[in-house]
Amino acid sequence: MAKISENLSYIQNKIDEAQKKRKYDGQVSIIAVTKEVSSERASEALENNLFHLGENRPEGLLAKKEEIKDKAIWHYIGSLQTRKVKLVINEIDYLHSLDRLSLAEEIEKRAENPVKCFVQANVSGEQSKHGLDKEDVIPFIQSLAQFTKIQVVGLMTMAPNTEDESVIRKVFSDLKQLQQEVVNLHLPYAPCNELSMGMSNDYEIAVEEGATFVRIGTALVG
Ligand SMILES: *Cc1c(COP(=O)(O)O)cnc(C)c1O
């Protein structure tokens, strides 16, 4: 296994290059997706100043939080079953997978403080992907006005599994456009300034298209 410091300097260079090319201002934060690695490896990420860690199962998240004593910012990036909300909702800093009203209702019931949420969109329309259809995203966000524990900080998507860069780029630019539409609504509970998109195989494209959080597992810690 390569050192995380080496992977990181490679990836950070690529991100810096992609940022120079893009027309959007703003920072890009790396979420080290640790779902498939040990707590030791996650600690190595923290030692490299990667404070954002991503997990996609309640069990993995809770185990890592138990074992890692250093301070991390925890991102829950997987789909979340309604009955598991109570296990994780007060243990995380960000939820990347808000995609239905029943989940919002359960969060409202269980969260002690407002939760920073990304609304997950299925921009590519692939059957296998979670998330709201593109045209449902804005009505869904509008329906969240009733909740006091949900803050929509941004939108999240996963690109389709394809070699065709133009298809991937279109998904990311569509999400950026949708985000701008939400920003323009000026909803107090939905500033929607963030865009969570880009993984090991497509983070450069995501950054060029406006990502503010990239979620990188394999290429960084794998
Ligand atoms: C696993 C996972 C990632 C990271 O994937 P890699 O290809 O390993 O970088 C990012 N986002 C989500 C939602 C994931 O489940």
Side-chain angles (χ1 to χ4, degrees), residues 146-177:
Q146 56 181 309
F147 301 114
T148 61
K149 298 287 169 52
I150 292 183
Q151 192 192 6
V152 179
V153 297
L155 302 182
M156 177 275 211
T157 201
M158 289 171 84
N161 210 340
T162 171
E163 300 283 296
D164 188 340
E165 199 183 301
S166 67
V167 171
I168 297 172
R169 190 176 294 281
K170 176 80 165 67
V171 164
F172 292 154
S173 68
D174 281 0
L175 195 73
K176 173 70 198 178
Q177 199 183 334

Side-chain angles (χ1 to χ4, degrees), residues 91-118:
E91 301 291 334
I92 60 176
D93 298 291
Y94 291 87
L95 175 69
H96 288 245
S97 53
L98 179 57
D99 62 354
R100 60 193 188 278
L101 210 54
S102 58
L103 182 56
E105 285 164 352
E106 184 67 9
I107 292 169
E108 183 73 7
K109 201 155 85 184
R110 303 287 185 179
E112 287 158 13
N113 297 301
V115 182
K116 296 189 188 86
C117 298
F118 288 84

